[in-house]
Amino acid sequence: MKLMKQLFSSLFIAGAMLSTQALAEEKTAEQAQPQTQVQQQTALQAPSQTVQQTVSDKLNINTASASDIQKALIGIGAKKAEAIVQYREKHGNFTVAEQLLEVQGIGKATLEKNRDRIVF
């Protein structure tokens, strides 16, 4: 009986130590995450609009606001971002990246810089 109590006590202590170690490793892993993963987690905790706008560091050009477009795309300022939103509202959602060339102020060079940053 005494042996059983010692065995259970040892198992309990070992379990507690393993649990504590696992929590510490998890905490360390969370602190070591790259900034983009932290931003993704923040986006998931934010309102659903933000979640719809980004998919693993890519911008959904059909749901993003002008502000989000300006922040996420290279060479796109406030006026071009607003032009993208206005074009989308007038002509409907974008289905291919080449449609951005129809937006005034967006050229081939700008499209190529951002092609990999955009989802539909």
Side-chain angles (χ1 to χ4, degrees):
M1 182 74 159
K2 187 175 182 181
L3 183 61
M4 292 287 279
K5 286 182 182 180
Q6 287 178 338
L7 180 61
F8 283 124
S9 296
S10 297
L11 287 173
F12 179 75
I13 292 171
M17 290 174 59
L18 286 174
S19 177
T20 303
Q21 182 180 1
L23 287 173
E25 288 173 359
E26 185 177 314
K27 189 79 162 175
T28 302
E30 286 176 4
Q31 292 172 347
Q33 286 180 339
Q35 185 65 21
T36 55
Q37 288 180 347
V38 172
Q39 289 171 342
Q40 287 174 355
Q41 287 177 350
T42 303
L44 291 174
Q45 295 169 353
S48 61
Q49 183 180 9
T50 303
V51 175
Q52 292 174 0
Q53 292 167 358
T54 57
V55 176
S56 59
D57 297 334
K58 293 194 178 198
L59 180 81
N60 186 328
I61 199 75
N62 292 319
T63 59
S65 67
S67 175
D68 291 331
I69 293 170
Q70 181 181 352
K71 291 175 189 173
L73 301 183
I74 298 169
I76 304 292
K79 289 185 179 183
K80 287 182 187 178
E82 187 57 43
I84 291 169
V85 171
Q86 289 176 356
Y87 182 92
R88 179 181 73 206
E89 289 172 354
K90 184 176 181 181
H91 300 283
N93 285 345
F94 293 94
T95 56
V96 293
E98 286 72 20
Q99 285 178 300
L100 286 168
L101 295 173
E102 298 173 20
V103 177
Q104 186 173 354
I106 307 289
K108 289 182 180 181
T110 302
L111 174 62
E112 290 308 315
K113 289 178 192 175
N114 293 296
R115 184 180 295 276
D116 293 336
R117 298 172 180 266
I118 300 168
V119 293
F120 305 94

